[in-house]
Amino acid sequence: MNILLLEPNRLLAKQYTDFLESVGHKVIWRQNAQSGIGAADELKPDIVISEILLTGHSGVEFLYEFRSYGDWQNIPVILLGNVKKGDSGLSVEALKELKVGAYFYKPQMKLADLAKTVQLLTDA
Amino acid sequence: MAKSRATVVVENNGLLFSSLAEQVKLPFVQIAHAAELHKLQPSKQNLSELHKTIAVTSAAALQLIDGYLLHIRLQQQAELRLEPVSISSLLYDTAQKLDAFAKAHDCVLQLDVKGKYGPVMGRHDVLKTALESLGYAFVEALSGQNDKKPVLKLIARRSKQGLATGIYSELDSLSAKLFRQAKFLKGIARQPLNEFTPGSGAGVFVADALLSRLDCTMKVSKYQGFNGLSVTLAPSHQLSLV
């Protein structure tokens, strides 16, 4: 699978990339929303994994922009955050509207679960 | 009714602590992921990554915690005794301390201390901790915004009021207005400093709190095309030979 990863922290991005590539995916990493949109255009990702707190435009702002393009309406998205879903400011309606497949609270997330969710959402 | 000074101090400390707690989650997440990677795929390389991650990220987290504790201790002191401090040597030590963290984030660290500067009045422990906190925060900010290898500069330069020192980068997202607003909203998950750094920016707030105890105001400033946060310190005449 082609994965577009939006993660502002270089060390975390390397960990996610190393693991996801070791289980057979191709990962393109970008640090912010603006370069993420450009990368999505080039890469044609099968799935997007994005941190909600990016610098400049947030992951949610990225997602609104991303979903505004017809071609990207049904590409699965996983959100990652350092805050719990309830504290993220994202309502259930917003997550539904943005077609967010899963939300992971990073401090409790396992890399294995992230990989499983990628598989699950792209198989669906 | 206006809040008492004590109430304001307690509230500010609470916000600063929230900001710090949010920031400190990050190194734990990095260590936990590195450990999981090694558990799932045991290899010499993953073990080496685990060791490196633990060393680099725990140093940053411990430094931030020490900065906060120093701030609390300073608040309990009625009077702060200032001493002559050499900024050149302080910046050199700061660069050494930040080196491994900067390398891990692919940042280039540069020391820009041109000319000879006499000592300034300050407190070595306070200035050192503030500059280190700021340095760690800048490395993370740079790591989150630039695709190319970013440059971080530790600068000392003469100013009309004394010696200005601070940390600078090519990032132009940091403005005086943004910094002013961020100081009021520290501790909130999404605050204005997120334009600059993806984390909570705790290192910036800790540095600001420490420097304010020296009656110094940390300001957004520009120097030779670089943008950063700096403080101006008064020269010390105690050790002047001429």
Side-chain angles (χ1 to χ4, degrees), chain B residues 26-62:
Chain B
L26 185 63
F28 282 116
V29 170
Q30 289 163 339
I31 291 169
H33 285 344
E36 192 194 350
L37 259 176
H38 181 58
K39 191 180 167 193
L40 293 170
Q41 298 164 345
S43 69
K44 271 188 182 174
Q45 195 197 337
N46 282 346
L47 185 62
S48 156
E49 284 293 328
L50 174 61
H51 288 162
K52 200 172 94 182
T53 304
I54 291 172
V56 166
T57 61
S58 60
L62 290 169

Side-chain angles (χ1 to χ4, degrees), chain A residues 8-12 14-16 19 22 31-32 35 53-56 58 82-83 105-107 109-112, chain B residues 25-26 29-30 33-34 36-37 40-41 57 104-106 143-147 189-190 194-198:
Chain A
N9 186 277
R10 197 171 288 258
L11 297 185
L12 286 180
K14 187 176 180 309
Q15 290 173 330
Y16 299 150
F19 183 66
S22 75
Q31 288 116 313
N32 56 53
S35 56
L53 271 187
L54 301 169
T55 45
S58 71
N82 259 338
V83 290
Y105 174 49
K106 279 178 177 173
M109 182 185 85
K110 298 272 180 237
L111 295 174
Chain B
K25 278 183 195 173
L26 185 63
V29 170
Q30 289 163 339
H33 285 344
E36 192 194 350
L37 259 176
L40 293 170
Q41 298 164 345
T57 61
H105 288 80
D106 276 345
S143 164
Q145 293 197 5
N146 270 326
D147 292 329
R190 179 96 192 147
N194 289 136
E195 292 290 322
F196 172 68
T197 178

Side-chain angles (χ1 to χ4, degrees), chain A residues 45-116:
Chain A
D46 300 302
I47 187 164
V48 175
I49 301 174
S50 175
E51 158 68 47
I52 55 167
L53 271 187
L54 301 169
T55 45
H57 298 287
S58 71
V60 178
E61 286 166 328
F62 160 81
L63 210 44
Y64 274 108
E65 169 87 17
F66 185 76
R67 287 292 189 225
S68 70
Y69 297 94
D71 292 352
W72 300 339
Q73 286 295 316
N74 296 313
I75 293 175
V77 169
I78 297 173
L79 286 181
L80 312 178
N82 259 338
V83 290
K84 289 186 176 172
K85 190 159 76 173
D87 299 328
S88 67
L90 283 166
S91 63
V92 176
E93 291 75 27
L95 290 169
K96 205 171 163 185
E97 187 192 340
L98 291 167
K99 298 178 191 164
V100 174
Y103 181 99
F104 282 105
Y105 174 49
K106 279 178 177 173
Q108 289 171 358
M109 182 185 85
K110 298 272 180 237
L111 295 174
D113 292 338
L114 179 65
K116 270 184 212 160

Side-chain angles (χ1 to χ4, degrees), chain B residues 31-95:
Chain B
I31 291 169
H33 285 344
E36 192 194 350
L37 259 176
H38 181 58
K39 191 180 167 193
L40 293 170
Q41 298 164 345
S43 69
K44 271 188 182 174
Q45 195 197 337
N46 282 346
L47 185 62
S48 156
E49 284 293 328
L50 174 61
H51 288 162
K52 200 172 94 182
T53 304
I54 291 172
V56 166
T57 61
S58 60
L62 290 169
Q63 195 284 332
L64 196 58
I65 293 167
D66 277 342
Y68 178 78
L69 292 175
L70 179 61
H71 158 69
I72 298 295
R73 274 202 302 277
L74 291 175
Q75 274 184 340
Q76 290 159 355
Q77 292 178 19
E79 196 184 341
L80 203 63
R81 191 179 285 264
L82 301 184
E83 61 196 13
V85 179
S86 162
I87 288 297
S88 307
S89 110
L90 196 72
L91 285 185
Y92 180 78
D93 290 348
T94 305

Side-chain angles (χ1 to χ4, degrees), chain B residues 35-177:
Chain B
E36 192 194 350
L37 259 176
H38 181 58
K39 191 180 167 193
L40 293 170
Q41 298 164 345
S43 69
K44 271 188 182 174
Q45 195 197 337
N46 282 346
L47 185 62
S48 156
E49 284 293 328
L50 174 61
H51 288 162
K52 200 172 94 182
T53 304
I54 291 172
V56 166
T57 61
S58 60
L62 290 169
Q63 195 284 332
L64 196 58
I65 293 167
D66 277 342
Y68 178 78
L69 292 175
L70 179 61
H71 158 69
I72 298 295
R73 274 202 302 277
L74 291 175
Q75 274 184 340
Q76 290 159 355
Q77 292 178 19
E79 196 184 341
L80 203 63
R81 191 179 285 264
L82 301 184
E83 61 196 13
V85 179
S86 162
I87 288 297
S88 307
S89 110
L90 196 72
L91 285 185
Y92 180 78
D93 290 348
T94 305
Q96 292 249 309
K97 180 88 187 269
L98 295 175
D99 188 54
F101 193 70
K103 276 185 184 146
H105 288 80
D106 276 345
C107 281
V108 177
L109 211 57
Q110 290 179 358
L111 200 56
D112 188 344
V113 187
K114 293 190 183 84
K116 278 187 176 177
Y117 302 117
V120 293
M121 287 309 287
R123 272 272 299 259
H124 188 272
D125 56 346
V126 177
L127 288 168
K128 185 173 181 294
T129 309
L131 283 170
E132 286 174 6
S133 300
L134 207 52
Y136 282 118
F138 263 73
V139 169
E140 286 198 331
L142 285 170
S143 164
Q145 293 197 5
N146 270 326
D147 292 329
K148 59 176 185 175
K149 213 166 188 173
V151 175
L152 187 71
K153 283 194 177 193
L154 281 70
I155 293 174
R157 62 188 166 92
R158 269 181 239 286
S159 77
K160 281 179 190 168
Q161 291 78 27
L163 188 63
T165 186
I167 298 192
Y168 292 75
S169 75
E170 288 168 303
L171 293 180
D172 56 6
S173 51
L174 189 62
S175 68
K177 187 182 171 194

